[in-house]
């Protein structure tokens, strides 16, 4: 799942944004778009030196100003669930359409097999390894959500 | 890295549901095209512990979960660590703090690399750990010094007709 999908699944959660100029904004995410433009509500804005605070009921942030975002931990689990639900729906739809475009994934080498190149129009997908599959392969330290490697 | 993401593999004709007892008919995402090849090199680091250097000089250590073609990254269990150097620019102290889930906008990343979790903390044995707040304060002083020096350098170079390219927000 792409980072921007994760952001969309964080809607109505509290997030912290740090802007490129060092200001930070703490508030509830109302909406976001594919350029990472955001609207937040009930925002507390902190100056770069960490001393001044302003309360803002609603704010719009242009995506290119963002340095990073901090999301609550639950968002990861919530997003994974959403992802699985979407995947299952997609699978069911594909089967209904006659299952000829079954995509085959080779997981033996911890690396997904590649489909012949019709995907050029699609904005590329980030590689993503599902966490709840067991992985083999000596020396690979994959972090599954089931096994917490500290 | 144990496998090269660039090598083309013919898609195998295994039905995706049949063999894996753990998968509830869910498919992995995969890389359909390598059009964005530079960011595609990141795919080998997914679900592994990585360190990320940001343009403002921050060092983040965490598990890379996802990324996209701009190298926007989603990291989990992130620890931010500040290293402080002595006069000879070798590290003596460090401070760290737990941050949680991070989504970093790709343009702010300088570099990222995979960590060997067996060896990742070895270098810390020789360093003194201080509180993160202290480390932050010291780092701020270092940054201010750098900015001042670069300002002076810029003026000197300018007087010779050269331009010093320094941006205050790029402190890496």
């Amino acid at each position: 799942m792409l980072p921007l999908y994760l952001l969309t699944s964080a809607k109505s959660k509290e997030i912290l944004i740090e802007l490129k100029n060092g200001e930070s904004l703490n508030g509830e995410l109302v909406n976001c778009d594919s350029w990472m433009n955001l609207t937040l509500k009930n925002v507390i804005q902190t100056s770069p030196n960490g001393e001044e605070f302003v309360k803002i009921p609603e704010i719009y942030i242009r995506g290119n100003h963002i340095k990073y975002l901090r999301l609550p931990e639950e968002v990861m689990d919530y997003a994974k669930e959403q992802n699985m639900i979407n995947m299952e729906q997609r699978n069911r739809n594909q089967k209904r359409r006659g299952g000829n475009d079954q995509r085959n994934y080779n997981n033996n080498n911890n690396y997904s097999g590649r489909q012949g190149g019709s995907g050029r129009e699609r904005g590329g997908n980030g590689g993503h390894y599902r966490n709840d599959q067991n992985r083999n392969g000596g020396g690979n330290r994959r972090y599954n959500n089931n096994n917490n490697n500290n | 890295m144990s496998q090269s993401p660039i090598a083309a593999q013919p898609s195998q004709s295994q039905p995706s549901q049949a063999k894996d007892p753990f998968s509830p008919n869910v498919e992995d995402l995969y890389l359909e095209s390598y059009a964005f090849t530079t960011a595609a090199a990141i795919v080998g680091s997914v679900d592994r512990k990585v360190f990320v250097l940001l343009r403002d000089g921050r060092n983040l250590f965490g598990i890379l979960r996802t990324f996209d073609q701009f190298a926007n990254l989603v990291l989990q269990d992130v620890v931010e660590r500040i290293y402080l150097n002595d006069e000879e620019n070798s590290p003596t102290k460090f401070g760290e703090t737990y941050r949680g889930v991070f989504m970093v906008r790709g343009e702010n990343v300088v570099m990222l690399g995979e960590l060997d979790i067996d060896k990742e903390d070895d270098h810390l044995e020789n360093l003194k750990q201080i509180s993160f707040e202290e480390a932050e304060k010291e780092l701020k002083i270092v940054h201010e010094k750098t900015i001042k020096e670069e300002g002076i350098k810029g003026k000197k170079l300018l007087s010779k007709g050269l331009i010093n390219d320094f941006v205050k927000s790029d402190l890496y």
Side-chain angles (χ1 to χ4, degrees):
Chain A
M1 145 191 288
L2 300 181
L4 287 172
Y5 289 167
L6 190 75
L7 187 59
T8 340
S9 62
K11 280 192 203 176
S12 65
K13 306 270 190 318
E14 279 268 336
I15 57 175
L16 183 157
I17 318 248
E18 178 153 326
L19 301 181
K20 288 200 185 144
N21 60 6
E23 279 177 17
S24 56
L25 292 132
N26 229 311
E28 192 183 312
L29 179 66
V30 173
N31 217 336
C32 61
D33 65 14
S34 53
W35 296 281
M36 227 187 266
N37 299 331
L38 313 170
T39 49
L40 306 174
K41 65 179 184 186
N42 305 333
V43 177
I44 299 176
Q45 174 178 355
T46 312
S47 66
N49 55 14
E51 273 156 36
E52 290 124 35
F53 305 88
V54 186
K55 249 189 183 163
I56 305 173
E58 275 192 51
I59 198 173
Y60 166 82
I61 303 173
R62 203 165 190 276
N64 67 353
H65 270 82
I66 295 174
K67 189 192 293 179
Y68 62 75
L69 316 141
R70 282 179 57 192
L71 309 166
E73 304 262 354
E74 316 84 65
V75 168
M76 295 291 301
D77 308 317
Y78 180 66
K80 229 162 273 298
E81 282 175 36
Q82 294 286 71
N83 198 26
M84 291 226 258
I85 296 172
N86 288 339
M87 288 295 200
E88 278 178 38
Q89 286 179 349
R90 235 177 277 166
N91 264 351
R92 269 181 241 133
N93 287 339
Q94 276 191 351
K95 275 190 218 145
R96 267 183 236 140
R97 281 184 217 146
N100 276 338
D101 29 340
Q102 277 234 336
R103 293 172 187 211
N104 298 310
Y105 300 90
N106 175 18
N107 286 324
N108 294 338
N109 302 325
N110 292 342
Y111 165 62
S112 304
R114 172 177 137 171
Q115 181 91 354
S118 60
R120 230 165 280 140
E121 309 81 56
R122 299 241 302 248
N125 290 326
H128 175 54
Y129 291 79
R130 286 189 55 239
N131 289 326
D132 39 29
Q133 284 186 354
N134 287 331
R135 310 231 172 244
N136 303 319
N140 284 345
R141 312 298 182 109
R142 295 277 170 182
Y143 285 82
N144 304 323
N145 276 339
N146 305 332
N147 326 320
N148 284 324
N149 296 332
N150 285 325
Chain B
M1 287 206 285
S2 46
Q3 54 271 355
S4 157
I6 310 296
Q9 290 191 359
S11 45
Q12 314 223 335
S13 49
Q14 281 177 345
S16 52
Q17 305 92 314
K19 303 224 169 141
D20 191 351
F22 297 104
S23 151
N25 292 343
V26 175
E27 299 168 323
D28 277 311
L29 283 176
Y30 60 95
L31 226 48
E32 282 189 308
S33 80
Y34 292 97
F36 53 102
T37 41
T38 43
I42 303 177
V43 71
S45 300
V46 171
D47 285 339
R48 297 197 202 219
K49 194 136 191 224
V50 296
F51 96 96
V52 181
L53 174 63
L54 299 187
R55 270 164 63 180
D56 61 354
R58 265 182 245 252
N59 298 300
L60 304 176
F61 298 76
I63 305 168
L64 178 66
R65 283 302 181 197
T66 74
F67 71 100
D68 63 13
Q69 68 267 41
F70 306 114
N72 294 329
L73 311 169
V74 172
L75 304 164
Q76 197 174 22
D77 291 337
V78 173
V79 165
E80 181 183 332
R81 201 176 293 147
I82 295 180
Y83 291 96
L84 296 161
N85 296 336
D86 59 13
E87 291 81 44
E88 296 102 43
N89 262 343
S90 53
T92 49
K93 299 184 278 191
F94 74 97
E96 61 179 32
T97 181
Y98 179 80
R99 292 294 195 189
V101 175
F102 242 88
M103 180 191 308
V104 184
R105 200 177 150 90
E107 53 178 326
N108 299 295
V109 175
V110 174
M111 58 180 178
L112 74 94
E114 224 174 285
L115 293 172
D116 181 342
I117 55 178
D118 294 325
K119 303 184 192 158
E120 60 156 325
D121 288 330
D122 287 351
H123 68 288
L124 297 175
E125 287 171 20
N126 304 326
L127 307 182
K128 175 171 174 230
Q129 178 161 19
I130 57 178
S131 81
F132 188 73
E133 292 76 27
E134 264 186 70
E136 263 190 305
K137 283 189 207 144
E138 285 200 39
L139 188 67
K140 202 170 165 190
I141 298 172
V142 172
H143 282 334
E144 282 167 7
K145 194 163 159 242
T146 317
I147 294 176
K148 223 172 161 189
E149 282 174 3
E150 291 285 338
I152 297 172
K153 192 162 105 176
K155 286 194 191 133
K156 278 198 196 155
L157 285 172
L158 200 57
S159 69
K160 303 201 196 268
L162 303 167
I163 297 191
N164 183 28
D165 222 343
F166 178 71
V167 181
K168 271 194 204 156
S169 54
D170 283 350
L171 294 161
Y172 63 93

mmCIF file of all heavy atoms in Angstrom, chain A residues 117-141:
data_model
loop_
_atom_site.group_PDB
_atom_site.id
_atom_site.type_symbol
_atom_site.label_atom_id
_atom_site.label_comp_id
_atom_site.label_asym_id
_atom_site.label_seq_id
_atom_site.Cartn_x
_atom_site.Cartn_y
_atom_site.Cartn_z
ATOM 1 N N GLY A 117 4.992 -6.151 -19.003
ATOM 2 C CA GLY A 117 4.935 -4.702 -18.799
ATOM 3 C C GLY A 117 3.722 -3.884 -19.169
ATOM 4 O O GLY A 117 3.847 -2.808 -19.713
ATOM 5 N N SER A 118 2.527 -4.295 -18.844
ATOM 6 C CA SER A 118 1.430 -3.416 -19.193
ATOM 7 C C SER A 118 1.296 -2.301 -18.180
ATOM 8 O O SER A 118 0.450 -1.455 -18.309
ATOM 9 C CB SER A 118 0.142 -4.211 -19.246
ATOM 10 O OG SER A 118 -0.058 -4.777 -17.966
ATOM 11 N N GLY A 119 2.108 -2.331 -17.165
ATOM 12 C CA GLY A 119 1.877 -1.399 -16.080
ATOM 13 C C GLY A 119 2.505 -0.038 -16.253
ATOM 14 O O GLY A 119 2.640 0.708 -15.310
ATOM 15 N N ARG A 120 2.884 0.293 -17.451
ATOM 16 C CA ARG A 120 3.644 1.529 -17.578
ATOM 17 C C ARG A 120 2.819 2.775 -17.303
ATOM 18 O O ARG A 120 3.322 3.778 -16.869
ATOM 19 C CB ARG A 120 4.259 1.625 -18.966
ATOM 20 C CG ARG A 120 5.732 1.954 -18.900
ATOM 21 C CD ARG A 120 6.446 1.704 -20.209
ATOM 22 N NE ARG A 120 6.758 0.301 -20.401
ATOM 23 C CZ ARG A 120 6.644 -0.324 -21.585
ATOM 24 N NH1 ARG A 120 6.227 0.309 -22.628
ATOM 25 N NH2 ARG A 120 6.957 -1.600 -21.702
ATOM 26 N N GLU A 121 1.508 2.712 -17.554
ATOM 27 C CA GLU A 121 0.702 3.904 -17.344
ATOM 28 C C GLU A 121 0.469 4.135 -15.871
ATOM 29 O O GLU A 121 0.306 5.247 -15.437
ATOM 30 C CB GLU A 121 -0.676 3.779 -18.000
ATOM 31 C CG GLU A 121 -0.651 3.355 -19.434
ATOM 32 C CD GLU A 121 -0.495 1.868 -19.558
ATOM 33 O OE1 GLU A 121 -1.303 1.137 -18.991
ATOM 34 O OE2 GLU A 121 0.460 1.447 -20.206
ATOM 35 N N ARG A 122 0.456 3.033 -15.119
ATOM 36 C CA ARG A 122 0.154 3.209 -13.719
ATOM 37 C C ARG A 122 1.316 3.907 -13.042
ATOM 38 O O ARG A 122 2.452 3.611 -13.307
ATOM 39 C CB ARG A 122 -0.021 1.857 -13.056
ATOM 40 C CG ARG A 122 -1.138 1.052 -13.612
ATOM 41 C CD ARG A 122 -2.185 0.738 -12.586
ATOM 42 N NE ARG A 122 -1.683 0.027 -11.441
ATOM 43 C CZ ARG A 122 -2.001 -1.211 -11.163
ATOM 44 N NH1 ARG A 122 -2.762 -1.883 -11.978
ATOM 45 N NH2 ARG A 122 -1.555 -1.788 -10.089
ATOM 46 N N GLY A 123 1.013 4.840 -12.177
ATOM 47 C CA GLY A 123 2.086 5.357 -11.325
ATOM 48 C C GLY A 123 2.591 4.162 -10.570
ATOM 49 O O GLY A 123 1.815 3.364 -10.101
ATOM 50 N N GLY A 124 3.849 3.977 -10.462
ATOM 51 C CA GLY A 124 4.363 2.729 -9.897
ATOM 52 C C GLY A 124 3.894 2.498 -8.481
ATOM 53 O O GLY A 124 3.635 3.422 -7.730
ATOM 54 N N ASN A 125 3.809 1.275 -8.131
ATOM 55 C CA ASN A 125 3.470 0.951 -6.758
ATOM 56 C C ASN A 125 4.722 0.705 -5.969
ATOM 57 O O ASN A 125 5.661 0.130 -6.477
ATOM 58 C CB ASN A 125 2.647 -0.348 -6.725
ATOM 59 C CG ASN A 125 1.300 -0.097 -7.313
ATOM 60 O OD1 ASN A 125 0.749 0.970 -7.180
ATOM 61 N ND2 ASN A 125 0.789 -1.081 -8.016
ATOM 62 N N GLY A 126 4.743 1.127 -4.772
ATOM 63 C CA GLY A 126 5.864 0.786 -3.910
ATOM 64 C C GLY A 126 5.786 -0.685 -3.597
ATOM 65 O O GLY A 126 4.713 -1.236 -3.433
ATOM 66 N N GLY A 127 6.916 -1.314 -3.568
ATOM 67 C CA GLY A 127 6.927 -2.735 -3.198
ATOM 68 C C GLY A 127 6.465 -2.865 -1.769
ATOM 69 O O GLY A 127 6.763 -2.047 -0.926
ATOM 70 N N HIS A 128 5.696 -3.876 -1.520
ATOM 71 C CA HIS A 128 5.200 -3.987 -0.154
ATOM 72 C C HIS A 128 5.080 -5.440 0.208
ATOM 73 O O HIS A 128 4.436 -6.205 -0.486
ATOM 74 C CB HIS A 128 3.838 -3.299 -0.059
ATOM 75 C CG HIS A 128 3.209 -3.471 1.267
ATOM 76 N ND1 HIS A 128 3.840 -3.137 2.423
ATOM 77 C CD2 HIS A 128 2.023 -3.963 1.610
ATOM 78 C CE1 HIS A 128 3.039 -3.412 3.431
ATOM 79 N NE2 HIS A 128 1.926 -3.897 2.970
ATOM 80 N N TYR A 129 5.703 -5.794 1.258
ATOM 81 C CA TYR A 129 5.656 -7.194 1.666
ATOM 82 C C TYR A 129 4.634 -7.330 2.750
ATOM 83 O O TYR A 129 4.670 -6.638 3.732
ATOM 84 C CB TYR A 129 7.035 -7.632 2.144
ATOM 85 C CG TYR A 129 7.983 -7.676 0.983
ATOM 86 C CD1 TYR A 129 8.539 -6.508 0.488
ATOM 87 C CD2 TYR A 129 8.261 -8.857 0.360
ATOM 88 C CE1 TYR A 129 9.375 -6.532 -0.594
ATOM 89 C CE2 TYR A 129 9.099 -8.889 -0.722
ATOM 90 C CZ TYR A 129 9.648 -7.721 -1.195
ATOM 91 O OH TYR A 129 10.470 -7.760 -2.268
ATOM 92 N N ARG A 130 3.738 -8.280 2.550
ATOM 93 C CA ARG A 130 2.721 -8.478 3.552
ATOM 94 C C ARG A 130 3.355 -9.044 4.789
ATOM 95 O O ARG A 130 4.228 -9.880 4.727
ATOM 96 C CB ARG A 130 1.671 -9.448 3.006
ATOM 97 C CG ARG A 130 0.798 -8.789 1.968
ATOM 98 C CD ARG A 130 -0.338 -9.689 1.610
ATOM 99 N NE ARG A 130 -1.077 -10.078 2.774
ATOM 100 C CZ ARG A 130 -1.237 -11.326 3.153
ATOM 101 N NH1 ARG A 130 -0.692 -12.306 2.469
ATOM 102 N NH2 ARG A 130 -1.920 -11.604 4.226
ATOM 103 N N ASN A 131 2.862 -8.580 5.886
ATOM 104 C CA ASN A 131 3.553 -8.936 7.112
ATOM 105 C C ASN A 131 3.149 -10.258 7.697
ATOM 106 O O ASN A 131 3.842 -10.792 8.535
ATOM 107 C CB ASN A 131 3.282 -7.861 8.159
ATOM 108 C CG ASN A 131 4.024 -6.620 7.783
ATOM 109 O OD1 ASN A 131 5.103 -6.714 7.236
ATOM 110 N ND2 ASN A 131 3.445 -5.479 8.049
ATOM 111 N N ASP A 132 1.996 -10.788 7.306
ATOM 112 C CA ASP A 132 1.630 -11.982 8.036
ATOM 113 C C ASP A 132 1.940 -13.269 7.282
ATOM 114 O O ASP A 132 1.391 -14.293 7.559
ATOM 115 C CB ASP A 132 0.169 -11.933 8.476
ATOM 116 C CG ASP A 132 -0.687 -11.326 7.392
ATOM 117 O OD1 ASP A 132 -0.311 -11.474 6.234
ATOM 118 O OD2 ASP A 132 -1.692 -10.711 7.704
ATOM 119 N N GLN A 133 2.809 -13.186 6.307
ATOM 120 C CA GLN A 133 3.255 -14.425 5.694
ATOM 121 C C GLN A 133 4.595 -14.801 6.277
ATOM 122 O O GLN A 133 5.429 -13.960 6.546
ATOM 123 C CB GLN A 133 3.423 -14.242 4.197
ATOM 124 C CG GLN A 133 2.110 -14.227 3.475
ATOM 125 C CD GLN A 133 2.331 -14.194 1.993
ATOM 126 O OE1 GLN A 133 3.444 -14.065 1.552
ATOM 127 N NE2 GLN A 133 1.266 -14.321 1.238
ATOM 128 N N ASN A 134 4.799 -16.090 6.455
ATOM 129 C CA ASN A 134 6.098 -16.495 6.975
ATOM 130 C C ASN A 134 7.139 -16.461 5.889
ATOM 131 O O ASN A 134 6.869 -16.821 4.750
ATOM 132 C CB ASN A 134 6.004 -17.912 7.544
ATOM 133 C CG ASN A 134 5.241 -17.888 8.839
ATOM 134 O OD1 ASN A 134 5.262 -16.895 9.530
ATOM 135 N ND2 ASN A 134 4.544 -18.967 9.106
ATOM 136 N N ARG A 135 8.277 -16.027 6.227
ATOM 137 C CA ARG A 135 9.302 -15.862 5.214
ATOM 138 C C ARG A 135 10.457 -16.779 5.514
ATOM 139 O O ARG A 135 10.848 -16.964 6.650
ATOM 140 C CB ARG A 135 9.806 -14.436 5.188
ATOM 141 C CG ARG A 135 8.661 -13.484 5.126
ATOM 142 C CD ARG A 135 8.812 -12.497 4.035
ATOM 143 N NE ARG A 135 7.586 -11.762 3.936
ATOM 144 C CZ ARG A 135 6.788 -11.782 2.884
ATOM 145 N NH1 ARG A 135 7.111 -12.515 1.843
ATOM 146 N NH2 ARG A 135 5.699 -11.096 2.860
ATOM 147 N N ASN A 136 11.047 -17.324 4.452
ATOM 148 C CA ASN A 136 12.267 -18.102 4.613
ATOM 149 C C ASN A 136 13.416 -17.306 4.060
ATOM 150 O O ASN A 136 13.258 -16.241 3.549
ATOM 151 C CB ASN A 136 12.153 -19.413 3.828
ATOM 152 C CG ASN A 136 10.958 -20.166 4.291
ATOM 153 O OD1 ASN A 136 10.694 -20.223 5.468
ATOM 154 N ND2 ASN A 136 10.215 -20.700 3.343
ATOM 155 N N GLY A 137 14.581 -17.907 4.118
ATOM 156 C CA GLY A 137 15.714 -17.184 3.525
ATOM 157 C C GLY A 137 16.647 -16.790 4.629
ATOM 158 O O GLY A 137 16.361 -15.921 5.419
ATOM 159 N N GLY A 138 17.745 -17.442 4.736
ATOM 160 C CA GLY A 138 18.645 -17.222 5.847
ATOM 161 C C GLY A 138 19.097 -15.788 5.926
ATOM 162 O O GLY A 138 19.423 -15.165 4.939
ATOM 163 N N GLY A 139 19.128 -15.268 7.095
ATOM 164 C CA GLY A 139 19.733 -13.973 7.304
ATOM 165 C C GLY A 139 18.818 -12.814 6.992
ATOM 166 O O GLY A 139 19.133 -11.687 7.304
ATOM 167 N N ASN A 140 17.692 -13.058 6.360
ATOM 168 C CA ASN A 140 16.801 -11.937 6.106
ATOM 169 C C ASN A 140 16.056 -11.630 7.381
ATOM 170 O O ASN A 140 15.421 -12.480 7.946
ATOM 171 C CB ASN A 140 15.782 -12.285 5.028
ATOM 172 C CG ASN A 140 16.429 -12.263 3.674
ATOM 173 O OD1 ASN A 140 17.504 -11.735 3.525
ATOM 174 N ND2 ASN A 140 15.756 -12.830 2.708
ATOM 175 N N ARG A 141 16.114 -10.413 7.811
ATOM 176 C CA ARG A 141 15.374 -10.050 8.985
ATOM 177 C C ARG A 141 14.148 -9.278 8.556
ATOM 178 O O ARG A 141 14.193 -8.078 8.392
ATOM 179 C CB ARG A 141 16.206 -9.194 9.932
ATOM 180 C CG ARG A 141 17.587 -9.738 10.193
ATOM 181 C CD ARG A 141 17.551 -11.117 10.855
ATOM 182 N NE ARG A 141 18.883 -11.593 11.127
ATOM 183 C CZ ARG A 141 19.370 -11.680 12.347
ATOM 184 N NH1 ARG A 141 18.654 -11.295 13.356
ATOM 185 N NH2 ARG A 141 20.581 -12.112 12.528
#
